[in-house]
Amino acid sequence: MTIRNPVEWGIDAVRGAANGVGALGTTLHRPAAQFETSTPIVRQIGFADLREVLAKGFQDFGAYRTDVIFIGLIYPLAGLVLAQFAFGNGMLPMLFPLVSGFALVGPVAAIGLYEMSRRREQGLEATWAHTLDVARSPNFGAILGLSLILAVIFALWLGVAALIYRYTLGPALPVSVSAFVSDVFTTPAGWAMIVLGVGAGFLFALMVLAISVVSFPMLLDRKVRIGTAVRTSVDVVRANPGPMLAWGFIVACALVLGSLPALLGLIVAMPVLGHATWHLYRRAVG
């Protein structure tokens, strides 16, 4: 088996994601008359609203516990597959960027949960099977387009993480897991990698928060263009910097705690966050 350098792997990921965006471009054109013309209203929210949307997220989770747990199994399985991929391909330095970067595409993974919360809000039946109704949404092309934008950001994050490893602990791959852990936590180069990685990860997470915190629920709920949804999401963050940064911190902490043990906590953490995000959108956008 050929073991590739992390930088080469990251570059290939970026190239593949970029090609995917180009291939989808022709599916996103719709007549202007099919879009809403009214400007979304961005509301001021406070920290108390975050508690309320989390409470509603737990309520939705409780209402559809069996169906949501079934969906939630996907998240730890996906994480374990990523971990196995990293170990099996000699890509141990990319394990943390892969697992942590999963949060960058979390809004895509939660799209079915938004649909379940939307249906419950309207008094409609909602089961795991209704998550597939997203594919019949009039805005499905736009949802795919925004999903690919996040995929590109995810790939860019992997490329940056690979470069950070190369210029700190790399370019050689670690000889074992124990040697890698020792190098990370007991050497200046390892601490430099941690500081640079956390800093870069924060910037990527902040960018994804700004463009996607309400854009996916909005595309599911309204006939708007990707640009309108993203601008509205950025405006929500700009109008509510404190609560939105707090929301990002809540999401990060929930995902970290949900990763223990062996990612099994994601079975609860991801569904609750997904449902809560729908209610956050409904609270922040009029």
Side-chain angles (χ1 to χ4, degrees):
M1 179 182 295
T2 302
I3 298 178
R4 293 185 295 166
N5 185 282
V7 176
E8 296 175 351
W9 188 84
I11 291 173
D12 287 345
V14 173
R15 185 179 297 118
N19 290 339
V21 171
L24 187 70
T26 56
T27 70
L28 302 180
H29 298 290
R30 292 170 55 194
Q34 293 185 17
F35 294 101
E36 292 183 10
T37 57
S38 58
T39 302
I41 299 172
V42 173
R43 301 190 183 107
Q44 295 281 339
I45 63 172
F47 296 101
D49 293 297
L50 301 185
R51 290 194 295 270
E52 291 183 20
V53 300
L54 280 171
K56 289 186 176 182
F58 275 104
Q59 289 170 8
D60 286 355
F61 176 80
Y64 304 118
R65 186 178 296 109
T66 302
D67 294 278
V68 169
I69 287 177
F70 174 77
I71 298 171
L73 287 171
I74 297 172
Y75 306 122
L77 289 176
L80 292 173
V81 168
L82 290 175
Q84 181 61 38
F85 174 79
F87 279 106
N89 289 274
M91 300 298 298
L92 180 60
M94 297 304 296
L95 178 59
F96 177 76
L98 278 168
V99 175
S100 62
F102 185 62
L104 300 179
V105 292
V108 181
I111 190 72
L113 298 165
Y114 306 152
E115 174 64 11
M116 293 182 71
S117 289
R118 186 186 72 85
R119 292 182 64 87
R120 183 171 188 246
E121 186 178 89
Q122 296 179 355
L124 301 174
E125 180 186 11
T127 67
W128 70 266
H130 288 106
T131 63
L132 303 177
D133 290 348
V134 173
R136 294 195 290 271
S137 169
N139 257 2
F140 185 59
I143 291 170
L144 281 180
L146 187 54
S147 299
L148 281 175
I149 290 173
L150 293 195
V152 169
I153 294 173
F154 176 61
L156 287 171
W157 155 243
L158 295 181
V160 169
L163 286 172
I164 290 173
Y165 173 79
R166 178 181 178 86
Y167 291 107
T168 52
L169 289 178
L173 294 173
V175 296
S176 67
V177 175
S178 59
F180 177 66
V181 172
S182 177
D183 287 343
V184 169
F185 292 106
T186 64
T187 67
W191 281 103
M193 185 185 72
I194 291 173
V195 172
L196 291 172
V198 170
F202 173 78
L203 293 177
F204 275 96
L206 187 62
M207 175 168 51
V208 168
L209 175 71
I211 69 175
S212 69
V213 66
V214 300
S215 53
F216 278 99
M218 188 173 183
L219 286 172
L220 191 62
D221 188 44
R222 304 183 182 189
K223 295 180 180 179
V224 295
R225 297 181 186 274
I226 291 180
T228 301
V230 170
R231 281 194 302 272
T232 302
S233 186
V234 172
D235 288 343
V236 167
V237 174
R238 189 177 298 159
N240 305 280
M244 287 298 101
L245 285 176
W247 178 249
F249 181 74
I250 290 170
V251 170
C253 290
L255 293 178
V256 170
L257 293 175
S259 298
L260 305 172
L263 305 178
L264 292 178
L266 294 178
I267 296 174
V268 174
M270 280 295 292
V272 170
L273 290 174
H275 290 309
T277 299
W278 168 264
H279 295 292
L280 180 65
Y281 153 70
R282 297 289 287 161
R283 186 65 58 93
V285 180

